[in-house]
Amino acid sequence: MAAGKEIRGKIKSVENTKKITKAMEMVAASKMRKAQERMRAARPYSEKIRNIAAHLSQANPEYTHPFMQVNDAKVAGLIVVTTDKGLCGGMNTNVLRAVTNKLRDMQTAGVSAEAVAIGNKGLGFLNRVGAKVVSQAIGLGDTPHLDKLIGPIKVLLDAYAEGKINAVYLCYTKFINTMKQESIVEQLLPLSSESIQTEGKAASAHGWDYIYEPDAQSVIDDLLVRYVESLIYQAVAENMASEQSARMVAMKAATDNAGTVINDLKLVYNKTRQAAITKELSEIVAGAAAV
């Protein structure tokens, strides 16, 4: 019964794996609800400030912020948002594939890239492909904290304000529903980018003008800082909600697959055991007949 003992060992091993994946599925389901609530709570503010930024890009303010200016630098910035941990299906793979396509397009256009990595998986990927990582934010936990994000992001924002890079792109996974997440690569800066053109089309139907109090510079400076912060925070919140949803689905699939493997192994074990019993009975009968 050496073969039977080996199969029993495999069954026990798969059963232990099944317990782990089931526990991870339940933990992910619990975290997913909180992450989705946090993400949905932040969406109205993010959408509203995006609308205001779109209107502002169509207006003719007396003060032009550096984020609204276009320069001719041959360097672009990428903010890559991924997870710190794996076991969440193809979520990171999809967004990193989109980043790869963007890097290839930039290389074709003769533009080099500087990247900020938010999440350990994205950091590892950027290091492997040889991209220049100027700053990073890893170990964010299950809750996005803006104070941990602003420092790394400010490196790219300052470089753009100084004219060292010509655009800043934000790459993350947008939460659609529990079963579906979408990889997004949108242009964050300059303000006249495609990232706000959907709202900008509505704005272009009529002119937008504002009365600034106390002055245009103070208002626009604060507004655009809030615009960038809210979009970064929302991207990380969307990514975290997507992560827990993808992990729950992946762990459920792993648990179901483990159950299928266990059933198959039990069937093989029973057949092996029956064959061994039949062989022993045949030997006993043969020995009795010989006597």
Side-chain angles (χ1 to χ4, degrees), residues 56-67:
L56 186 63
S57 70
Q58 299 295 322
N60 296 307
E62 50 222 72
Y63 165 72
T64 302
H65 193 276
F67 289 174

Side-chain angles (χ1 to χ4, degrees), residues 72-227:
D72 298 327
K74 292 297 182 181
V75 183
L78 286 174
I79 301 172
V80 181
V81 183
T82 57
T83 67
D84 284 317
K85 301 177 183 178
L87 298 177
C88 51
M91 176 186 143
N92 286 323
T93 303
N94 293 335
V95 71
L96 293 177
R97 185 181 295 115
V99 171
T100 302
N101 293 335
K102 188 64 181 178
L103 288 172
R104 188 180 297 116
D105 294 342
M106 290 165 58
Q107 186 176 11
T108 302
V111 177
S112 59
E114 293 184 355
V116 172
I118 300 178
N120 197 42
K121 294 296 180 180
L123 176 61
F125 167 80
L126 292 170
N127 287 331
R128 284 195 301 275
V129 300
K132 182 180 179 182
V133 180
V134 294
S135 61
Q136 62 190 53
I138 59 176
L140 297 177
D142 299 322
T143 305
H145 297 284
L146 195 58
D147 55 344
K148 293 183 179 180
L149 300 173
I150 291 304
I153 299 302
K154 196 172 186 299
V155 177
L156 284 186
L157 301 183
D158 290 346
Y160 183 87
E162 295 169 6
K164 296 179 180 178
I165 59 177
N166 61 10
V168 176
Y169 297 93
L170 181 59
C171 313
Y172 65 100
T173 302
K174 183 177 182 180
F175 178 86
I176 305 298
N177 55 50
T178 303
M179 300 300 295
K180 182 180 179 182
Q181 299 85 37
E182 182 181 358
S183 300
I184 299 292
V185 178
E186 64 180 12
Q187 190 167 316
L188 187 62
L189 297 175
L191 256 185
S192 56
S193 66
E194 296 178 357
S195 62
I196 57 174
Q197 281 306 302
T198 301
E199 184 63 29
K201 290 177 182 176
S204 62
H206 56 277
W208 288 87
D209 203 1
Y210 298 93
I211 298 175
Y212 301 96
E213 201 52 58
D215 59 80
Q217 182 173 352
S218 301
V219 174
I220 294 175
D221 283 348
D222 287 345
L223 173 65
L224 295 189
V225 169
R226 294 289 181 270
Y227 165 77

